[in-house]
């Protein structure tokens, strides 16, 4: 009985979608373009065209400072969100890093913890999964499998990388294995104890629980499976009526089981045009708009202008109260001087007596 809260029309079929962890921004991949919206007012802040083929995956760092994009053109790009927001609408900002070591389309991205110092994993149809350092852009590890990799994720402690294959297998790669090698081959017959077997078709998504004990996987065989990582046993199988494209373990929100829980603020309509280039007809948005910058070209005072005016009024009032008229001030000064001289006499008498 769930009611559709709002239908947001996008410029084309959306191939991937993600929200920033702080809840302020939405990223969508439409063909080879990345669209960036601000959630609070629905403004389209940027359209990034640096990929040459359709987007396949998008992912934010845990502090929302950077985001990663992967596409069928074999490229993974790292973007600094601040640089994207600061760029002029006429110019396309440059990504911070361009990772071009894959030879076939990228299928999945995963970002670890640490903000701009985090590590990111990429999966590709070229039968490799690679681990990168976001800060330097360096390639840390490349693992070669005998099937194309469709999904990748890291556990919370980043001891293991889990890779889902086209044949339904899920591989567990130990990141702390010795000796340390940048190029590694996952040999199925030797690493048999590190493979989850059960899916009958390609694995499309992977998610690890917060305590690192459970793995959730979705597949085109129309099932979602929950695995015990230690024993590699399937604990639960959930059947669906079609191929599973996404599954995720999340912490339950506080109001999840409250039937009356509804969003207190209505979500504005997402704009189809870049912010600053909308026609005047689109300005009649419902809801409250709080403008925190002086860069808007719209008529009317901005929030900062009103705040400055109020502050100047407060200062002038305070000065009047402090200064008063001149006569009142001289009377106050003479009274205070008399009080000071009286206190000095008392102090001198006390000192002489002691």
């Amino acid at each position: 009985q769930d009611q559709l809260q709002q239908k947001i029309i996008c410029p084309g079929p959306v191939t991937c979608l993600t929200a920033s962890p702080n809840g302020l921004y939405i990223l969508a991949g439409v063909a080879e373009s990345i669209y960036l919206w601000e959630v609070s007012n629905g403004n389209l802040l940027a359209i990034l065209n640096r990929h040459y083929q359709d987007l396949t995956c998008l992912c934010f760092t845990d502090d929302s400072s950077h985001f990663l994009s992967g596409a069928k053109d074999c490229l993974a790009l790292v973007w600094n969100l601040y640089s994207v927001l600061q760029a002029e609408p006429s110019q396309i900002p440059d990504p911070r890093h361009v990772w071009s070591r894959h030879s076939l389309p990228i299928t999945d991205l995963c970002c670890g913890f640490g903000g701009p110092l985090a590590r990111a994993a990429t999966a590709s149809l070229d039968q490799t999964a690679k681990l990168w350092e976001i800060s330097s852009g360096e390639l840390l590890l490349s693992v070669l499998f005998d099937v194309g990799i469709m999904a990748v994720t890291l556990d919370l402690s980043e001891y293991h990388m889990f890779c889902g294959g086209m044949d339904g297998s899920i591989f567990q790669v130990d990141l702390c294995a010795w000796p340390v090698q940048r190029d590694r081959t996952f040999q199925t017959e030797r690493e048999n104890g590190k493979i989850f077997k059960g899916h009958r078709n390609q694995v499309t998504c992977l998610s690890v629980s917060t305590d690192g004990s459970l793995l959730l996987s979705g597949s085109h065989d129309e099932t979602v499976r929950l695995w015990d990582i230690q024993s590699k046993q399937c604990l639960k199988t959930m059947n669906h009526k079609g191929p599973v494209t996404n599954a995720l373990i999340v912490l339950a929100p506080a109001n999840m089981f409250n039937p009356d829980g509804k969003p207190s603020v209505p979500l504005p309509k997402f704009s189809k045009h870049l912010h600053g280039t909308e026609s005047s007809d689109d300005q009649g948005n419902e809801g409250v708009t709080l403008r925190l910058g002086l860069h808007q070209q719209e008529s009317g005072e901005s929030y900062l202008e009103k705040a400055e005016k109020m502050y100047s009024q407060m200062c002038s009032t305070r000065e009047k109260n402090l200064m008063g008229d001149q006569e009142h001030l001289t009377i106050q000064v003479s009274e205070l001087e008399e009080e000071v001289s009286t206190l000095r006499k008392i102090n001198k008498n006390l000192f002489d007596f002691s």
Side-chain angles (χ1 to χ4, degrees), residues 144-347:
L144 177 65
F145 301 88
D146 49 12
V147 292
I149 303 299
M150 300 300 297
V152 66
T153 191
L154 299 164
D155 66 349
L156 215 61
S157 57
E158 297 184 21
Y159 275 13
H160 305 291
M161 180 168 67
F162 299 94
C163 306
M166 289 195 76
D167 62 349
S169 302
I170 302 168
F171 309 101
Q172 177 182 318
V173 179
D174 295 333
L175 300 179
C176 300
W178 190 263
V180 178
Q181 299 168 296
R182 199 169 78 163
D183 293 295
R184 205 188 300 176
T185 303
F186 191 93
Q187 294 172 332
T188 308
E189 59 278 355
R190 204 186 297 172
E191 308 268 9
N192 207 25
K194 295 176 182 174
I195 302 177
F196 301 79
K197 293 180 178 177
H199 283 298
R200 299 180 306 280
N201 206 332
Q202 67 183 46
V203 177
T204 54
C205 49
L206 295 168
S207 180
V208 182
S209 63
T210 314
D211 62 357
S213 64
L214 300 173
L215 175 70
L216 186 75
S217 63
S219 168
H220 275 192
D221 65 5
E222 305 184 1
T223 64
V224 170
R225 290 176 182 260
L226 193 65
W227 308 83
D228 178 66
I229 291 176
Q230 192 70 37
S231 65
K232 308 290 183 292
Q233 295 296 310
C234 180
L235 305 177
K236 191 174 183 181
T237 303
M238 291 155 274
N239 292 301
H240 289 69
K241 294 180 180 179
V244 177
T245 55
N246 211 346
L248 188 66
I249 297 175
V250 293
L251 296 172
N255 64 345
M256 181 176 174
F257 303 106
N258 179 12
D260 302 324
K262 290 181 181 176
S264 55
V265 180
L267 192 68
K269 287 188 171 72
F270 279 21
S271 173
K272 294 182 185 178
H273 306 284
L274 275 174
H275 179 52
T277 62
E278 299 98 332
S279 61
S280 56
D281 300 340
D282 297 338
Q283 298 301 327
N285 292 335
E286 296 175 6
V288 179
T289 303
L290 183 67
R291 294 175 294 158
L292 292 172
L294 292 170
H295 59 276
Q296 278 91 348
Q297 302 298 318
E298 300 166 27
S299 59
E301 286 183 312
S302 72
Y303 174 79
L304 287 180
E305 285 170 338
K306 287 179 182 172
E308 281 179 11
K309 189 183 282 187
M310 287 176 68
Y311 180 70
S312 61
Q313 286 176 351
M314 187 181 73
C315 287
S316 62
T317 311
R318 189 170 60 188
E319 283 170 11
K320 284 177 186 172
N321 289 341
L322 282 173
M323 298 299 289
D325 54 359
Q326 202 64 33
E327 293 174 1
H328 183 64
L329 192 64
T330 47
I331 293 167
Q332 272 189 322
V333 169
S334 59
E335 286 176 354
L336 289 169
E337 283 177 347
E338 284 176 18
E339 197 175 340
V340 168
S341 63
T342 311
L343 289 169
R344 275 187 178 151
K345 279 180 189 173
I346 294 168
N347 192 40

